[in-house]
């Protein structure tokens, strides 16, 4: 029996609530499909920041480096600025572990409806490949002349040939396993240096994949296409900022952020990868037992699939589909009155 060491960081707000259910489903899947999980939980969160002044300890990266994978809950809570919580935990882990792929699959799940009228499930299935380690999310810059009329800030972007090439190549390789279609998000008509550079590398990589249909669109036009003709899209690749925005839009048109998982992936396997729901910590409903755990459960499925347990991962996704399609157990956001725990239990039981 293969044994995996997994780190759990429930985080803040409903991240704690939904991570409990995701772990429940993973534990059930491991028992059914012949592998074992050894969990270690870390209390790294905004609550820790309020107590100790840091989101995680100084040796946090070293502590996590020995694990096979990381399941992360939502991070963020009132009183702690977003840039503090993100740059104190999530972004340092992504960069230390070279998780340069942020993979966000989105699809219209059974038993749910899209805000786009008349769209069927087969028209609403795509994946965002977001560059996760550089681009617009750079710490280079500063604030100057604070409080004066001439106050200004500088925020620099960083695009390297290595970073851009590897994320675009990842998107093309992924497309070969799907519909062989890739669309690149750009804004080269406005960003005079970074996006023409991105476009040039996209063209170079596309030439290596003559079997994959490729196109590029300005990000604003691409956002419009996602709403007007999502069936014309499959794999979308974008920079850190563009991928972040487009993936939330994609989730919104396929049932909402409560249904969308994501993975921060180190493709080489040299370092652990980290999986999380796309949604935030929703402090207004934290601890009430009404949060939808589906996104975190699907993130857990991505985790075990990344570890090679593909049968278990597909079984989890099938169980989620079955429960949602039956419609007997639904949290309030889905029009029901069931609890987070009840929906998580229903998915675990649907595994067999």
């Amino acid at each position: 029996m293969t044994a995996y060491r997994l780190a759990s960081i429930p985080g803040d707000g409903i991240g704690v609530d939904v991570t409990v259910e995701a772990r429940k489903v993973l534990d059930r899947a491991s028992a059914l499909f012949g592998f074992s999980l050894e969990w270690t939980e870390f209390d790294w969160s905004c609550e820790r920041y309020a107590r100790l002044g840091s989101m995680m300890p100084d040796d946090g990266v070293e502590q996590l480096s020995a694990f096979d994978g990381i399941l992360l809950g939502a991070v963020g809570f009132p009183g702690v600025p977003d840039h503090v919580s993100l740059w104190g935990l999530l972004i340092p882990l992504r960069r230390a572990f070279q998780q340069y792929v942020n993979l966000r699959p989105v699809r219209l799940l059974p038993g749910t409806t899209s805000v786009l009228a008349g769209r069927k499930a087969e028209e609403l299935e795509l994946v965002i490949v977001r560059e996760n380690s550089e681009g617009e999310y750079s710490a280079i810059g500063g604030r100057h002349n604070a409080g004066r009329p001439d106050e200004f800030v500088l925020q620099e972007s960083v695009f390297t040939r290595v970073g851009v090439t590897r994320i675009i190549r990842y998107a093309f390789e992924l497309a070969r396993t799907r519909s062989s279609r890739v669309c690149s998000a750009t804004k080269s008509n406005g960003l005079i240096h970074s996006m023409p550079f991105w476009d040039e590398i996209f063209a170079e990589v596309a030439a290596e994949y003559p079997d994959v249909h490729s196109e590029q669109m300005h990000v604003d036009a691409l956002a419009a296409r996602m709403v007007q003709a999502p069936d014309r899209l499959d794999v979308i690749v974008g920079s850190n900022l563009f991928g972040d925005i487009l993936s939330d839009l994609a989730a919104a048109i396929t049932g909402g952020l409560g249904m969308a998982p994501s993975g921060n992936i180190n493709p080489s396997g040299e370092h652990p990868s980290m999986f999380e729901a796309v949604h935030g910590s929703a402090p207004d409903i934290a601890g009430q037992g009404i949060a939808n755990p589906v996104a975190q459960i699907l993130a857990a499925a991505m985790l075990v699939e990344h570890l090679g347990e593909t049968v278990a991962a597909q079984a989890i996704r099938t169980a989620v589909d079955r429960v949602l399609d039956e419609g007997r157990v639904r949290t309030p956001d889905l029009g029901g009155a069931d609890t987070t725990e009840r929906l998580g239990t229903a998915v675990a039981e649907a595994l067999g």
Side-chain angles (χ1 to χ4, degrees):
M1 178 181 292
T2 304
Y4 301 102
R5 294 188 62 206
L6 300 182
S8 172
I9 309 174
D12 302 299
I14 64 169
V16 177
D17 306 335
V18 299
T19 298
V20 170
E21 302 310 313
R23 285 181 55 171
K24 177 195 299 181
V25 172
L26 278 192
D27 288 341
R28 177 63 176 161
S30 67
L32 290 172
F33 294 97
F35 58 95
S36 66
L37 303 176
E38 178 187 336
W39 291 98
T40 301
E41 185 167 307
F42 297 87
D43 69 344
W44 303 346
S45 61
C46 289
E47 182 179 350
R48 184 188 193 279
Y49 179 86
R51 291 196 328 265
L52 303 174
S54 63
M55 295 292 295
M56 65 177 176
D58 292 341
D59 65 344
V61 170
E62 288 74 19
Q63 289 190 45
L64 292 178
S65 62
F67 288 89
D68 298 305
I70 305 164
L71 184 63
L72 175 69
V75 177
F77 213 76
V80 179
D82 287 344
H83 69 275
V84 171
S85 58
L86 290 176
W87 283 89
L89 179 62
L90 181 58
I91 293 179
L93 294 180
R94 286 174 172 173
R95 295 186 175 182
F97 293 137
Q98 299 178 36
Q99 297 167 351
Y100 66 84
V101 175
N102 187 259
L103 190 65
R104 296 192 176 188
V106 288
R107 63 188 177 99
L108 184 62
L109 298 176
T112 64
T113 56
S114 170
V115 295
L116 302 181
R119 289 293 178 180
K120 301 176 182 178
E122 57 268 25
E123 298 175 288
L124 291 171
E125 181 176 0
L126 48 90
V127 60
I128 312 294
V129 178
R130 168 192 173 192
E131 203 291 315
N132 207 33
S133 62
E134 52 180 47
E136 302 89 349
Y137 290 11
S138 161
I140 300 174
R143 186 169 183 168
H144 304 271
N145 303 338
R148 290 168 39 179
D150 58 347
E151 181 176 7
F152 68 96
V153 298
L154 291 175
Q155 177 69 59
E156 303 293 344
S157 297
V158 176
F159 288 81
T160 66
R161 176 165 287 275
V162 168
V164 175
T165 301
R166 67 188 181 184
I167 195 65
I168 291 175
R169 181 165 285 118
Y170 184 96
F172 274 89
E173 291 291 337
L174 178 62
R176 277 182 167 171
T177 70
R178 294 171 58 90
S179 67
S180 291
R181 288 181 294 158
V182 175
C183 182
S184 169
T186 184
K187 192 60 179 171
S188 50
N189 60 344
L191 301 175
I192 192 171
H193 299 301
S194 60
M195 285 296 105
F197 180 69
W198 174 283
D199 294 348
E200 290 168 14
I201 295 176
F202 182 78
E204 291 171 9
V205 176
E208 302 174 18
Y209 294 84
D211 54 314
V212 177
H213 174 74
S214 63
E215 62 177 323
Q216 63 183 44
M217 297 185 67
H218 291 142
V219 65
D220 42 358
L222 180 53
R225 179 183 287 186
M226 288 176 66
V227 174
Q228 296 172 334
D231 52 300
R232 294 173 58 191
L233 298 166
D234 185 34
V235 176
I236 297 172
V237 61
S239 67
N240 215 327
L241 178 61
F242 293 167
D244 194 1
I245 295 170
L246 291 174
S247 57
D248 279 11
L249 173 60
I253 65 174
T254 56
L257 297 182
M259 316 288 273
S262 71
N264 303 282
I265 296 173
N266 172 261
S268 71
E270 180 182 0
H271 304 289
S273 293
M274 180 167 59
F275 299 84
E276 58 180 323
V278 170
H279 63 67
S281 60
D284 55 320
I285 62 170
Q288 298 180 30
I290 60 174
N292 184 347
V294 165
Q296 192 75 342
I297 291 170
L298 292 175
M302 292 179 70
L303 191 162
V304 293
E305 183 169 49
H306 182 72
L307 294 175
E309 301 294 343
T310 56
V311 175
Q314 184 55 48
I316 293 171
R317 287 191 285 265
T318 299
V320 168
D321 288 359
R322 183 178 301 126
V323 170
L324 293 178
D325 195 35
E326 290 174 353
R328 291 183 293 105
V329 182
R330 289 179 178 269
T331 45
D333 64 302
L334 297 175
D338 291 290
T339 63
T340 307
E341 180 182 7
R342 181 69 192 96
L343 183 50
T345 298
V347 174
E349 291 174 346
L351 283 169

